[in-house]
C-alpha cells in the first residue's frame, strides 16, 4: 500500500520542484546552470537573441557554456544580474639579455545587448617588477595605466595591497563593453631577470582574485592551461528604466509577484526581483513562489506559525493576545488533562 502511495505521489512532488528555465528547456550546460532569461539549444528558451548562449561539446565530450567564442562561463546569477566568464591574462616575457620571448595582448568585446564589464566587482591588475600595463576601450574614450616596479623579489600576498611594488591595481569605469590591454617594459626585465622575467595584466573579480597565485617567478603557459581569471559581466533587461518598462505591460519582463529596480551601477536598463515573502526566478511568469516561513522552524517570538501567501502569522497561545511575531500579552491557560 505504501509503495502504491509513493508511486502516486511522486509525480506530484516532482512537478512542484522549482525550475529556473522555461518549460521544456534544458537547465544546465555541463555543470553550469542556465537560468532564464538566458537559454541554450533552442532560441525560444531565451528571452531574446541577446540572452541565447552557446553550449558546445569539447574534445573530451564534455559540454561547455560560452558567452563568446573565447569566454567560457562558470556562473550565471539572475538575482545579481551577473555572468562570470574566464578571460586569459595578457603577458610579456624576456630572457636574461632583454630579448622578448613571449607576448600576448588581450582584446575583448561583449556581444550586443545590455552587457557591460562590472566596475564594482572587477579590478584591473598588473604583475611584475618592470611592468607598465595599459587598458583602453575600443571607442578610445577611456584609458588607464598601471605601473609596477621593484628591485628585489616581493612575496605576493593576499593580505597586502597592490600599491605598485610587484603588483599594481586600478579600477575601471562603469558602462564599458570592450577592453584592450597590453604591456610594455622600461628595461626589458634585465635588472630583475634573476627572479622576474614576465609581466602580466588582467581584469579579475575582486571576490575570487588571489594575488598569491601570481608569484613574480611565474612564466607563461598556453592552451587549456592558460592563465585565465574570473571576470564579471553585468546585465540588465531592455534598454529602459523601471518606470518606462512598467508603463508597457505587454513588454514588461518581470513575472508575477515580482518588481523591477534600476541598478545604481548601470545608466539604462532594469532588473527584476521577487516580492518580499517570495523566492525564485523573477523573470519567469510564475517564477516567484511563496516562501513557507513556518517550514523548518518556528519564526514566531511566541505562539504557533501559520503560513500565508507572501507572509506568515503567529497565533498567540490560548489566553494571550497580540502579534506573536513580536510579543503576546496576557496570562496563558494551561489545561491539564488527567485520566481517571
Amino acid at each position: 500500500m505504501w509503495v502504491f502511495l509513493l508511486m502516486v505521489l511522486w509525480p506530484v512532488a516532482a512537478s512542484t520542484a522549482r525550475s529556473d528555465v522555461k518549460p521544456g528547456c534544458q537547465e544546465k550546460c555541463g555543470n553550469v546552470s542556465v537560468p532564464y532569461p538566458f537559454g541554450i539549444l533552442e532560441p525560444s528558451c531565451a528571452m531574446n537573441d541577446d540572452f541565447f548562449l552557446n553550449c558546445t561539446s569539447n574534445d573530451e565530450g564534455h559540454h561547455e557554456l560560452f558567452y563568446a567564442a573565447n569566454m567560457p562561463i562558470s556562473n550565471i546569477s539572475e538575482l545579481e544580474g551577473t555572468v562570470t566568464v574566464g578571460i586569459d591574462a595578457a603577458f610579456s616575457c624576456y630572457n636574461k639579455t632583454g630579448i622578448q620571448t613571449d607576448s600576448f595582448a588581450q582584446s575583448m568585446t561583449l556581444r550586443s545587448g545590455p552587457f557591460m564589464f562590472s566596475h564594482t566587482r572587477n579590478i584591473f591588475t598588473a604583475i611584475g617588477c618592470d611592468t607598465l600595463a595599459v587598458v583602453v576601450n575600443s571607442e578610445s574614450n577611456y584609458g588607464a595605466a598601471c605601473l609596477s616596479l621593484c628591485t628585489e623579489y616581493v612575496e605576493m600576498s593576499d593580505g597586502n595591497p597592490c600599491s605598485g611594488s610587484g603588483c599594481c591595481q586600478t579600477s575601471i569605469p562603469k558602462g564599458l563593453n570592450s577592453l584592450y590591454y597590453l604591456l610594455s617594459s622600461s628595461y626589458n626585465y634585465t635588472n630583475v631577470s634573476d627572479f622576474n622575467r614576465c609581466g602580466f595584466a588582467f581584469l579579475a573579480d575582486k571576490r575570487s582574485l588571489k594575488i598569491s597565485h601570481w608569484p613574480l617567478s611565474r612564466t607563461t603557459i598556453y592552451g587549456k592551461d592558460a592563465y585565465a581569471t574570473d571576470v564579471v559581466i553585468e546585465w540588465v533587461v531592455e534598454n529602459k528604466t523601471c518606470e518606462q518598462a512598467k508603463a508597457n505591460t505587454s513588454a514588461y519582463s518581470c513575472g508575477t509577484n515580482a518588481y523591477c529596480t534600476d541598478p545604481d551601477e548601470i545608466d539604462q536598463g532594469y532588473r527584476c526581483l521577487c516580492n518580499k515573502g517570495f523566492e525564485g526566478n523573477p523573470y519567469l511568469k510564475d517564477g516567484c513562489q511563496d516562501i513557507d516561513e513556518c517550514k523548518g522552524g518556528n519564526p514566531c517570538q511566541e505562539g504557533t506559525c501559520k503560513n500565508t501567501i507572501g507572509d506568515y502569522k503567529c497565533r498567540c497561545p490560548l489566553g494571550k493576545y497580540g502579534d506573536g511575531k513580536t510579543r503576546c500579552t496576557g496570562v496563558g491557560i494551561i489545561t491539564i488533562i488527567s485520566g481517571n
Side-chain angles (χ1 to χ4, degrees):
M1 182 65 178
W2 284 109
V3 174
F4 174 76
L5 286 174
L6 286 173
M7 292 176 65
V8 172
L9 292 175
W10 167 251
V12 177
S15 66
T16 58
R18 183 170 66 87
S19 176
D20 281 336
V21 299
K22 292 175 70 175
C25 293
Q26 188 165 313
E27 298 194 22
K28 284 191 172 184
C29 177
N31 295 323
V32 182
S33 297
V34 187
Y36 188 79
F38 293 90
I40 54 176
L41 303 185
E42 292 292 336
S44 60
C45 289
M47 179 179 289
N48 52 51
D49 290 344
D50 293 335
F51 292 94
F52 184 60
L53 300 175
N54 185 19
C55 180
T56 60
S57 179
N58 60 21
D59 295 338
E60 290 78 25
H62 302 298
H63 284 88
E64 294 180 312
L65 185 66
F66 285 87
Y67 171 81
N70 59 347
M71 296 184 192
I73 296 174
S74 59
N75 179 264
I76 300 175
S77 172
E78 77 272 23
L79 300 181
E80 290 186 325
T82 59
V83 176
T84 303
V85 300
I87 298 178
D88 294 341
F91 55 80
S92 181
C93 296
Y94 297 81
N95 62 20
K96 282 195 172 186
T97 61
I99 302 299
Q100 189 176 61
T101 57
D102 293 301
S103 66
F104 172 67
Q106 181 60 272
S107 176
M108 68 209 85
T109 300
L110 301 184
R111 58 165 58 190
S112 62
F115 300 96
M116 60 224 71
F117 293 105
S118 173
H119 75 287
T120 57
R121 289 280 298 275
N122 298 315
I123 189 79
F124 182 70
T125 303
I127 302 288
C129 285
D130 187 14
T131 305
L132 174 63
V134 177
V135 54
V136 297
N137 67 336
S138 60
E139 292 82 5
S140 299
N141 56 12
Y142 161 73
C146 215
L147 180 64
S148 177
L149 301 172
C150 46
T151 57
E152 58 184 12
Y153 187 82
V154 177
E155 191 73 33
M156 295 291 101
S157 172
D158 297 322
N160 295 327
C162 283
S163 55
S165 179
C167 66
C168 170
Q169 290 182 324
T170 186
S171 60
I172 63 171
K174 68 178 180 179
L176 295 181
N177 61 6
S178 65
L179 283 175
Y180 174 71
Y181 39 83
L182 70 162
L183 297 114
S184 63
S185 171
S186 297
Y187 301 101
N188 294 355
Y189 292 79
T190 53
N191 57 339
V192 292
S193 60
D194 289 341
F195 55 87
N196 178 222
R197 296 188 188 181
C198 294
F200 295 89
F202 50 83
L203 196 67
D205 180 8
K206 289 183 281 189
R207 296 183 185 178
S208 61
L209 175 60
K210 299 289 185 183
I211 293 298
S212 57
H213 292 174
W214 295 85
L216 294 177
S217 57
R218 197 170 204 178
T219 54
T220 58
I221 52 178
Y222 298 96
K224 295 179 181 179
D225 296 323
Y227 295 136
T229 56
D230 288 339
V231 176
V232 178
I233 298 170
E234 305 243 14
W235 57 270
V236 290
V237 289
E238 297 190 72
N239 192 27
K240 299 177 181 178
T241 66
C242 181
E243 288 302 316
Q244 290 171 338
K246 288 190 294 185
N248 184 3
T249 55
S250 62
Y252 187 48
S253 297
C254 301
T256 307
N257 298 316
Y259 66 98
C260 64
T261 179
D262 295 312
D264 293 335
E265 65 273 16
I266 296 174
D267 291 330
Q268 190 80 325
Y270 65 94
R271 294 193 182 123
C272 301
L273 296 170
C274 289
N275 293 341
K276 183 180 179 181
F278 295 84
E279 63 182 359
N281 190 324
Y283 298 96
L284 290 169
K285 181 180 177 182
D286 297 311
C288 293
Q289 298 293 313
D290 174 57
I291 299 172
D292 188 347
E293 291 86 356
C294 304
K295 201 171 184 179
N298 188 356
C300 300
Q301 186 72 22
E302 192 173 353
T304 57
C305 180
K306 176 179 173 55
N307 185 59
T308 61
I309 300 300
D311 203 354
Y312 67 97
K313 294 180 179 180
C314 295
R315 292 175 173 174
C316 291
L318 189 62
K320 290 190 174 185
Y321 59 92
D323 187 353
K325 287 183 179 180
T326 54
R327 183 187 177 191
C328 294
T329 58
V331 179
I333 299 174
I334 302 176
T335 304
I336 301 175
I337 302 175
S338 58
N340 293 325

